[in-house]
Amino acid sequence: MPDAWFMMLWQVVLSPLLVAFDPAYFMKAYKRSSLRKSLASGEKSTMTQEDCNKAFENPEFEPSFAYAAICRPLFSMVFFQPILPLGCLLGIVSLVLSLFAWKYKFTAHSKLPISISSNIAFVTLYLINLLPFVYAVSSVYLLAIPVHF
């Protein structure tokens, strides 16, 4: 049971924070600032124009990761529902925080998204339709096994 709480709290707190404050983006921002400082001080650079363009270009927004960020808390909160009734509340908080984190990443730290087909939306809807099955399996699995505290 503590592991389930830890997983749910991890998804509520850390997942949106890692999306909003992407370590790879901050490494790129550090590289940009060091490049600006070296050019402002008059140092000669061995970087080509293509390397400079890549350094100052924002990363692409990948919608597939955003869809996965929606499905992960949904499946976790449904799977752990039999043993964690407050898991639904944590899952909803996680979804709201993830929404704002992905929105921030899309508007502030990304260039135009990769074009994808509409199949990813249909696959996500199919996976969401499997939630009652996941709940049934978790009820049988988690409630049939005796818990020793």
Side-chain angles (χ1 to χ4, degrees):
M1 182 106 122
D3 293 338
W5 270 112
F6 179 73
M7 285 179 55
M8 291 299 291
L9 288 175
W10 177 275
Q11 286 185 6
V12 169
V13 176
L14 205 57
S15 292
L17 282 177
L18 286 177
V19 170
F21 304 109
D22 187 14
Y25 179 80
F26 286 112
M27 290 294 293
K28 194 171 226 182
Y30 175 74
K31 189 175 182 181
R32 289 177 189 172
S33 67
S34 65
L35 184 61
R36 280 189 185 125
K37 286 178 185 176
S38 69
L39 291 176
S41 67
E43 295 178 16
K44 291 189 176 182
S45 176
T46 59
M47 291 183 74
T48 63
Q49 184 66 43
E50 184 179 355
D51 294 337
C52 289
N53 288 345
K54 285 181 183 178
F56 282 91
E57 188 175 57
N58 285 329
E60 289 182 345
F61 180 78
E62 296 189 22
S64 59
F65 290 132
Y67 277 103
I70 292 170
C71 287
R72 187 178 51 243
L74 278 175
F75 276 95
S76 294
M77 75 179 173
V78 168
F79 185 78
F80 292 120
Q81 181 63 34
I83 60 172
L84 295 175
L86 288 177
C88 271
L89 178 65
L90 290 176
I92 291 170
V93 169
S94 174
L95 287 172
V96 170
L97 291 176
S98 291
L99 169 77
F100 287 114
W102 282 101
K103 194 181 283 189
Y104 171 72
K105 184 174 183 174
F106 178 66
T107 56
H109 293 178
S110 298
K111 63 180 182 178
L112 290 176
I114 299 170
S115 62
I116 58 170
S117 68
S118 62
N119 290 340
I120 192 166
F122 293 124
V123 168
T124 304
L125 287 175
Y126 173 74
L127 289 174
I128 290 173
N129 285 332
L130 292 176
L131 287 176
F133 178 71
V134 170
Y135 179 74
V137 168
S138 70
S139 294
V140 169
Y141 178 72
L142 295 173
L143 296 178
I145 297 173
V147 179
H148 302 286
F149 290 105

